[in-house]
Amino acid sequence: MLQGFKDFITRGNVIDLAVAVIIGAAFTAIVTAVVDNLVNPLIGALVPSGDLAEWVIPVPGLFATANFGIGAIISAIINFLAVAAVVYFLLIVPMNKLAERRAARLGVQEPEAPSAPTQEELLAEIRDLLASQNRG
């Protein structure tokens, strides 16, 4: 049992995943700091409270007023979009370009996707299947 656990832990992809999670957490902290200290104050200048994170919408209730923290939600959405944009433009796009260059250098071509059957072909196939079921 312990040998299986040791084999699992020392596999390369598990270590790569652990490194990716640690780097991702550190990277998220950097992006969050930029958004919280640069982007949110700029947007905060446009909201009534002056601070995006503190922007709430009061909703009067029967016994008390509830405050919906719309600013915190908008801030979280901005953080997510910022992280996603940075990951896309700094990791995905360069890796796709690298894969294209490598494929071009090696002469590898992507296989063509088979064309989808036409509506007439699909209807003919359905007709033939129904006919074969009715016979047998």
Side-chain angles (χ1 to χ4, degrees):
M1 181 191 294
L2 291 177
Q3 181 62 34
F5 180 72
K6 180 182 171 188
D7 293 341
F8 171 73
I9 292 298
T10 58
R11 242 190 281 173
N13 55 358
V14 173
I15 304 229
D16 291 343
L17 180 61
V19 169
V21 168
I22 292 168
I23 295 292
F27 181 71
T28 300
I30 292 170
V31 173
T32 300
V34 169
V35 169
D36 287 346
N37 296 307
L38 183 66
V39 177
N40 285 352
L42 290 173
I43 296 173
L46 304 174
V47 298
S49 66
D51 183 10
L52 182 62
E54 299 296 321
W55 184 28
V56 295
I57 297 176
V59 178
L62 188 57
F63 299 107
T65 300
N67 291 321
F68 290 142
I70 192 75
I73 295 169
I74 292 172
S75 180
I77 291 170
I78 291 170
N79 283 347
F80 170 77
L81 292 175
V83 170
V86 170
V87 166
Y88 179 75
F89 289 112
L90 293 182
L91 296 175
I92 303 299
V93 170
M95 290 305 290
N96 287 343
K97 293 286 186 189
L98 181 64
E100 288 173 11
R101 287 183 186 162
R102 183 176 295 145
R105 189 180 77 224
L106 297 175
V108 177
Q109 296 179 357
E110 288 187 25
E112 283 189 29
S115 61
T118 64
Q119 185 175 5
E120 289 81 18
E121 292 171 340
L122 290 173
L123 289 172
E125 185 178 338
I126 292 169
R127 179 198 63 211
D128 295 342
L129 287 171
L130 288 173
S132 68
Q133 286 179 350
N134 288 336
R135 279 187 243 136

